[in-house]
Structures are given as C-alpha cells and as structure tokens.
Amino acid sequence: MTIRVRAPATTANLGPAFDCAAVALDLWNELEVGEGDEEPDERHLGVRAFAQVAPTDGRTFTFTDRIPRERGLGSSAAVIALGLVAGALAAGRDPDPEELLAAGLPLEGHGDNLAAALAGGVCLTWSGRIARVADSVPAVPLAVVPEETVSTHAARATLPVQVPHEDAAFTAGRAAVLGAALASGSEELFAAALEDRLHEPYRAAKAPLLAAVRAGLPAGALGATLSGSGPTVIVWARERDVEPCAEELAARHPDARILRLAVAGTGARVA
C-alpha cells in the first residue's frame, strides 16, 4: 500500500500571540510511504514522527521539501505532521489533530506550528488543545524570505527569563485585539494587533530584516510580523494592494524572495 500525504507551511506568533497562535500557509511539503526492504533513516524527523504512530519496518519514505528550512516557516512542523498523518493512516486510525499533536510534541517542542500544520486555518493551542478559530485572516500574507537562516534553538536562547510588567501588559492587550480581529475579520483591528514586546525585540539581532521591512512598509500593508523565530518576515497586505505591495518589497529587498501566499484551508492530509 502506498500512502501520499501533504502538510502546509505555517507562520507562528502573529506578533503578540507568542507560542500559542499560528496560521497554515498554502505552501506544501509531501511524503510518499511505500513498501520495500530498504532500511528507513530512523534519524529523520518525519520517520521518527511516523514511528510514534505506526511501525516503520518494511516501509520506504520519500519526502518532497518545498518549505524553506530554518526560515521561520514551520518546515520541521510540516515534516512532523507528514509523518504523524501518514503513520495514522498506516495504522488504520483517524488522523485526529489533537491526538497527533500529543504524539508530535516531544519531537517539535512547541505546539503552535504543529497545531496549524495538522488542523489548517488559524489555530490557537494551549495545554495540548487545538482551537481552529478562523479559516482566514483579514489580509494576504507576503513572505519576505532572506538567504540567511536562524535555528529555533538559537533564537529562543535570546529570550529573557523575565520581561517588564509594562511589556507583558502591552502584549497581552495586543493579543486580545488579535483575537477580536480574527473573530470579526476586521482589517482595522488586525492592523492594530501586530505589535509585540515579548519576543520580537529580543530576536531583532538575529532577524534584522524585520526592522528593515517595517522601516519601509508598503502603503497597502496592514503591518509586518516576524514569522516564528525568523528570519522570514510576513507582510500582511490588503487584498486589493497585494501586487503593488509585492513589487515594492521586491524592489526594496532584492536579496530576499517574496512569496505571495494564502491561508491553507486544510492541514496535513492525503495528497
């Protein structure tokens, strides 16, 4: 039996929703699981994820990677989601997102990207739970992807153990506005929500593109956020202004790739 599955890229945090929110993006990695005598690479993250749900013996694994690695677009979460969903299908189980999240968390460490990769749309996650709170956002995501890479571990190492109460209160308020923006589909509220003081300021040294993009934000953009731990920046453009925004970003940042994306309506699933 051959199993083919696909899983989307993700952008996490959305500014103030640190470690608890992510959006699935219409950029997909794929996995084909077949039958064969070749010994699978048990060190591969996707194979390890598959092994959480089903035996790997007698199976072959072929991965197709389209999501840039170490750029803050959830490439590792997508690979884990591929293995988990394929493993569930191989075991004859319904690939329930919350059950697979629990199986995958020991590999991923943080559930925001993985939750969105499994469930699609816009997701919140906490204590092993997933809530898909919206099918879309009131803007079009344009990913500004630099050549530089950043490891999640290195980026998290820059975060302080404590932050000022004022910064925590500021970010909590913006996170509440973000929830209202997603629930209402309001461009105005969404634009007001895209500020953070918990993680973005501390990651700035390893992700200088964020400050550069914000310094020259196109007129048709609602705002910009660091994608996950960076260094990719997501510019959230008004739908009517997507093309001029993309053109201006390409002109201002010629060394970066500009990816016009969309919210993925589904999470990891049969290809």
Side-chain angles (χ1 to χ4, degrees), residues 205-217:
K206 292 184 179 296
L209 183 61
L210 179 62
V213 168
R214 283 177 170 166
L217 200 64

Side-chain angles (χ1 to χ4, degrees), residues 143-161:
V144 186
V145 187
E147 289 297 323
E148 299 79 19
T149 62
V150 169
S151 77
T152 301
H153 178 76
R156 295 193 78 88
T158 65
L159 302 181
V161 175

Side-chain angles (χ1 to χ4, degrees), residues 11-211:
T11 182
N13 302 324
L14 311 185
F18 179 57
D19 271 2
C20 65
V23 177
L25 301 173
D26 191 22
L27 177 63
W28 302 81
N29 281 358
E30 296 182 0
L31 166 62
E32 180 178 298
V33 181
E35 297 178 352
D37 298 328
E38 183 178 341
E39 193 72 21
D41 181 3
E42 300 289 349
R43 298 169 300 174
H44 192 287
L45 195 57
V47 177
R48 291 166 60 195
F50 186 98
Q52 299 291 313
V53 189
T56 61
D57 296 342
R59 301 185 186 276
T60 61
F61 296 83
T62 304
F63 291 88
T64 301
D65 297 329
R66 299 187 183 90
I67 303 168
R69 296 182 181 182
E70 295 189 325
R71 300 304 207 290
L73 288 169
S75 61
S76 62
V79 169
I80 292 170
L82 288 173
L84 293 171
V85 170
L89 294 172
R93 291 171 47 186
D94 177 38
D96 176 78
E98 283 194 354
E99 290 182 6
L100 295 183
L101 178 66
L105 274 176
L107 300 175
E108 173 65 8
H110 302 280
D112 45 5
N113 285 109
L114 184 55
L118 290 167
V122 186
C123 290
L124 300 181
T125 184
W126 72 101
S127 302
R129 300 287 307 278
I130 300 175
R132 177 168 165 152
V133 295
D135 295 330
S136 63
V137 295
V140 176
L142 295 170
V144 186
V145 187
E147 289 297 323
E148 299 79 19
T149 62
V150 169
S151 77
T152 301
H153 178 76
R156 295 193 78 88
T158 65
L159 302 181
V161 175
Q162 296 179 328
V163 297
H165 187 277
E166 179 184 359
D167 290 347
F170 175 94
T171 302
R174 292 305 191 279
V177 174
L178 177 64
L182 295 173
S184 66
S186 167
E187 285 187 356
E188 182 181 3
L189 289 176
F190 190 70
L194 302 180
E195 293 184 83
D196 164 79
R197 293 184 185 175
L198 286 186
H199 69 104
E200 287 184 346
Y202 303 101
R203 288 170 162 166
K206 292 184 179 296
L209 183 61
L210 179 62

